[in-house]
Every structure is written in structure tokens, then in C-alpha cells.
Amino acid sequence: MKILEIRRHSIRTPGGEHLNQKGVALARKVGQSIGPFDFVATSTLLRAFETAIAMGFAVSEQNDLMNTYGPVVEREAPWPMPFFHYSEIVRQDGEAARYAYQLMDYYIGIMDHLEEGGSALVVNHGGVVELGTVACLPEMDFSPWGESVDYCEGARLFWDDGRFARGEVLRVRK
């Protein structure tokens, strides 16, 4: 089995590019209880990159696919919404679904390169976390997962037999 953790970046000052001190402290705290990871990817936005570093992990790759999903997808899937609502939107097969499946393909590529028993961390953004997660687990009932992710929260996905077999939501106590 392989594991993929998808997490939202940590706290920044509204409108700022960088994590603030609270964000660095939160990322450090979360980083102490996760990992190790064989591969770490972030969006190309500084707050995602800085979150992975503050968590204590070297970044293997940055990908602008995970930066944001743009105004067309935003109209279909405005953030924040509960995971369940994102899963319903992806089932409608519109622009949000196409973007979600691009994320899923990227995540599958990561899993294909991991050794058996390996793990990866992806740090991106609110809305991106949820869309990618629900695309990877199309049969899952996301009702119990609750609201959208907050800072450093996300999902842990379990890869088994060439597919994402199950997942769990990751919440952070502040």
C-alpha cells in the first residue's frame, strides 16, 4: 500500500504571499506528527512551498496545476463548501470535474513512481484539496467528512492494487 497526503497550506496574513508567524508555528506543529515522505509536491505559490518547508520536508517538485482553478471552475465549485458538495459537482462532469480529473491524473503519476509502502505529501489550496480528493475516490460518501479544509488540513488517500482504495479526512486541532 502507498499513501498520499493532500494538505492545504498554512496561515498567511490575508492578501499576503508568505506564511505569517502563526502559519509557520502551525505548520511546524503539524509536521512533527506526519511523515516521513518519499516525495513532496507543492503548488508554485509561496504559501504552499513555505508550508512544506516549515513542516520539515524538502520539496521535490512544484506544479502550477495546483495553484488555483480559475474563474470558470470557481463558478461551478466556489470555495468553501463541504466535501460532499464538491463530490456532487464533480459528478456533474463540467469544468470543475475536468480540473478535478487533471489533479487525479497528477496524483496517480506520483503514486506510480513511489515504491510499495512509500508515501507522498502534496500541499496546495482550499478547493483544490477537495476537488482532487473527491475525484480520486468517486464511489465514496463524503457526507461524514464535513466542511472544507482549514489551514494544514486535508485528506489521506490509500493507494492499493493500482487505484485509490479509500481515504480519510485530516483535521488539525488549533
Side-chain angles (χ1 to χ4, degrees), residues 4 28 57 59 66-67 75 84-85 95 105 118 121 144 173:
L4 175 65
R28 282 184 181 161
F57 305 110
V59 176
M66 298 185 293
N67 288 2
R75 279 192 293 280
F84 175 76
H85 289 299
E95 289 300 315
D105 289 343
L121 171 67
R173 288 188 163 194

mmCIF file of all heavy atoms in Angstrom, residues 4 28 57 59 66-67 75 84-85 95 105 118 121 144 173:
data_model
loop_
_atom_site.group_PDB
_atom_site.id
_atom_site.type_symbol
_atom_site.label_atom_id
_atom_site.label_comp_id
_atom_site.label_asym_id
_atom_site.label_seq_id
_atom_site.Cartn_x
_atom_site.Cartn_y
_atom_site.Cartn_z
ATOM 1 N N LEU A 4 -0.921 8.860 0.035
ATOM 2 C CA LEU A 4 -0.810 10.240 -0.429
ATOM 3 C C LEU A 4 -1.553 11.129 0.552
ATOM 4 O O LEU A 4 -2.738 10.929 0.803
ATOM 5 C CB LEU A 4 -1.435 10.399 -1.821
ATOM 6 C CG LEU A 4 -1.498 11.830 -2.367
ATOM 7 C CD1 LEU A 4 -0.094 12.386 -2.604
ATOM 8 C CD2 LEU A 4 -2.323 11.879 -3.644
ATOM 9 N N ARG A 28 4.803 23.807 11.586
ATOM 10 C CA ARG A 28 5.800 23.053 12.375
ATOM 11 C C ARG A 28 5.112 22.020 13.259
ATOM 12 O O ARG A 28 5.546 20.872 13.358
ATOM 13 C CB ARG A 28 6.624 24.005 13.234
ATOM 14 C CG ARG A 28 7.685 24.719 12.488
ATOM 15 C CD ARG A 28 8.509 25.569 13.431
ATOM 16 N NE ARG A 28 9.531 26.281 12.683
ATOM 17 C CZ ARG A 28 10.157 27.351 13.127
ATOM 18 N NH1 ARG A 28 9.897 27.831 14.329
ATOM 19 N NH2 ARG A 28 11.060 27.944 12.387
ATOM 20 N N PHE A 57 9.861 19.308 5.561
ATOM 21 C CA PHE A 57 10.050 18.438 4.404
ATOM 22 C C PHE A 57 10.616 19.195 3.215
ATOM 23 O O PHE A 57 10.134 20.274 2.867
ATOM 24 C CB PHE A 57 8.718 17.782 4.012
ATOM 25 C CG PHE A 57 8.089 17.042 5.149
ATOM 26 C CD1 PHE A 57 6.929 17.516 5.742
ATOM 27 C CD2 PHE A 57 8.662 15.890 5.659
ATOM 28 C CE1 PHE A 57 6.349 16.851 6.804
ATOM 29 C CE2 PHE A 57 8.097 15.220 6.737
ATOM 30 C CZ PHE A 57 6.935 15.698 7.305
ATOM 31 N N VAL A 59 11.081 19.970 -0.608
ATOM 32 C CA VAL A 59 10.139 19.912 -1.722
ATOM 33 C C VAL A 59 10.823 19.275 -2.926
ATOM 34 O O VAL A 59 11.880 19.735 -3.377
ATOM 35 C CB VAL A 59 9.603 21.316 -2.062
ATOM 36 C CG1 VAL A 59 8.699 21.278 -3.289
ATOM 37 C CG2 VAL A 59 8.856 21.886 -0.855
ATOM 38 N N MET A 66 -1.736 23.016 -9.387
ATOM 39 C CA MET A 66 -2.354 23.069 -8.065
ATOM 40 C C MET A 66 -2.474 24.484 -7.507
ATOM 41 O O MET A 66 -2.931 24.653 -6.384
ATOM 42 C CB MET A 66 -1.561 22.198 -7.094
ATOM 43 C CG MET A 66 -1.530 20.739 -7.491
ATOM 44 S SD MET A 66 -0.711 19.695 -6.280
ATOM 45 C CE MET A 66 0.991 20.247 -6.375
ATOM 46 N N ASN A 67 -2.080 25.499 -8.266
ATOM 47 C CA ASN A 67 -2.128 26.880 -7.757
ATOM 48 C C ASN A 67 -3.549 27.333 -7.472
ATOM 49 O O ASN A 67 -3.862 27.830 -6.403
ATOM 50 C CB ASN A 67 -1.506 27.854 -8.755
ATOM 51 C CG ASN A 67 -0.012 27.733 -8.819
ATOM 52 O OD1 ASN A 67 0.596 26.901 -8.162
ATOM 53 N ND2 ASN A 67 0.594 28.571 -9.638
ATOM 54 N N ARG A 75 -16.873 29.298 -10.517
ATOM 55 C CA ARG A 75 -18.329 29.480 -10.622
ATOM 56 C C ARG A 75 -19.074 28.174 -10.352
ATOM 57 O O ARG A 75 -20.136 28.172 -9.744
ATOM 58 C CB ARG A 75 -18.704 30.016 -12.013
ATOM 59 C CG ARG A 75 -18.500 31.512 -12.145
ATOM 60 C CD ARG A 75 -19.140 32.092 -13.399
ATOM 61 N NE ARG A 75 -18.529 31.641 -14.641
ATOM 62 C CZ ARG A 75 -17.402 32.139 -15.160
ATOM 63 N NH1 ARG A 75 -16.762 33.103 -14.535
ATOM 64 N NH2 ARG A 75 -16.923 31.682 -16.297
ATOM 65 N N PHE A 84 -18.831 16.878 0.542
ATOM 66 C CA PHE A 84 -19.950 16.241 -0.147
ATOM 67 C C PHE A 84 -20.405 17.079 -1.343
ATOM 68 O O PHE A 84 -20.685 16.538 -2.413
ATOM 69 C CB PHE A 84 -21.116 16.014 0.827
ATOM 70 C CG PHE A 84 -22.336 15.465 0.153
ATOM 71 C CD1 PHE A 84 -22.393 14.139 -0.224
ATOM 72 C CD2 PHE A 84 -23.419 16.285 -0.116
ATOM 73 C CE1 PHE A 84 -23.512 13.624 -0.860
ATOM 74 C CE2 PHE A 84 -24.552 15.785 -0.749
ATOM 75 C CZ PHE A 84 -24.591 14.452 -1.118
ATOM 76 N N HIS A 85 -20.467 18.393 -1.190
ATOM 77 C CA HIS A 85 -20.906 19.252 -2.290
ATOM 78 C C HIS A 85 -19.905 19.211 -3.447
ATOM 79 O O HIS A 85 -20.300 19.209 -4.614
ATOM 80 C CB HIS A 85 -21.131 20.681 -1.812
ATOM 81 C CG HIS A 85 -22.334 20.823 -0.940
ATOM 82 N ND1 HIS A 85 -23.604 20.525 -1.357
ATOM 83 C CD2 HIS A 85 -22.445 21.224 0.344
ATOM 84 C CE1 HIS A 85 -24.456 20.734 -0.370
ATOM 85 N NE2 HIS A 85 -23.771 21.158 0.684
ATOM 86 N N GLU A 95 -16.686 21.753 -16.021
ATOM 87 C CA GLU A 95 -15.306 22.237 -15.963
ATOM 88 C C GLU A 95 -14.630 21.871 -14.641
ATOM 89 O O GLU A 95 -13.448 21.558 -14.613
ATOM 90 C CB GLU A 95 -15.254 23.749 -16.182
ATOM 91 C CG GLU A 95 -15.562 24.165 -17.595
ATOM 92 C CD GLU A 95 -14.605 23.574 -18.612
ATOM 93 O OE1 GLU A 95 -13.370 23.579 -18.375
ATOM 94 O OE2 GLU A 95 -15.092 23.094 -19.651
ATOM 95 N N ASP A 105 -5.114 12.694 -12.136
ATOM 96 C CA ASP A 105 -4.070 12.135 -13.008
ATOM 97 C C ASP A 105 -2.678 12.483 -12.489
ATOM 98 O O ASP A 105 -1.771 11.651 -12.526
ATOM 99 C CB ASP A 105 -4.235 12.631 -14.441
ATOM 100 C CG ASP A 105 -5.447 12.033 -15.147
ATOM 101 O OD1 ASP A 105 -5.985 11.010 -14.674
ATOM 102 O OD2 ASP A 105 -5.855 12.605 -16.179
ATOM 103 N N GLY A 118 5.588 3.290 0.102
ATOM 104 C CA GLY A 118 6.019 4.674 0.095
ATOM 105 C C GLY A 118 4.884 5.649 0.364
ATOM 106 O O GLY A 118 3.705 5.285 0.347
ATOM 107 N N LEU A 121 3.529 13.649 0.053
ATOM 108 C CA LEU A 121 2.794 14.793 0.585
ATOM 109 C C LEU A 121 2.605 15.783 -0.542
ATOM 110 O O LEU A 121 3.544 16.073 -1.286
ATOM 111 C CB LEU A 121 3.577 15.458 1.720
ATOM 112 C CG LEU A 121 3.048 16.800 2.233
ATOM 113 C CD1 LEU A 121 1.694 16.635 2.923
ATOM 114 C CD2 LEU A 121 4.067 17.449 3.177
ATOM 115 N N PRO A 144 -19.830 12.315 5.815
ATOM 116 C CA PRO A 144 -19.230 12.394 7.160
ATOM 117 C C PRO A 144 -17.962 13.254 7.231
ATOM 118 O O PRO A 144 -17.495 13.556 8.320
ATOM 119 C CB PRO A 144 -18.890 10.938 7.496
ATOM 120 C CG PRO A 144 -19.553 10.092 6.482
ATOM 121 C CD PRO A 144 -19.829 10.946 5.300
ATOM 122 N N ARG A 173 -6.196 20.171 15.196
ATOM 123 C CA ARG A 173 -6.632 20.902 16.402
ATOM 124 C C ARG A 173 -5.790 22.149 16.520
ATOM 125 O O ARG A 173 -4.557 22.093 16.484
ATOM 126 C CB ARG A 173 -6.453 20.036 17.644
ATOM 127 C CG ARG A 173 -7.444 18.932 17.701
ATOM 128 C CD ARG A 173 -7.363 18.244 19.017
ATOM 129 N NE ARG A 173 -8.581 17.474 19.173
ATOM 130 C CZ ARG A 173 -8.971 16.961 20.296
ATOM 131 N NH1 ARG A 173 -8.250 17.136 21.382
ATOM 132 N NH2 ARG A 173 -10.082 16.278 20.348
#
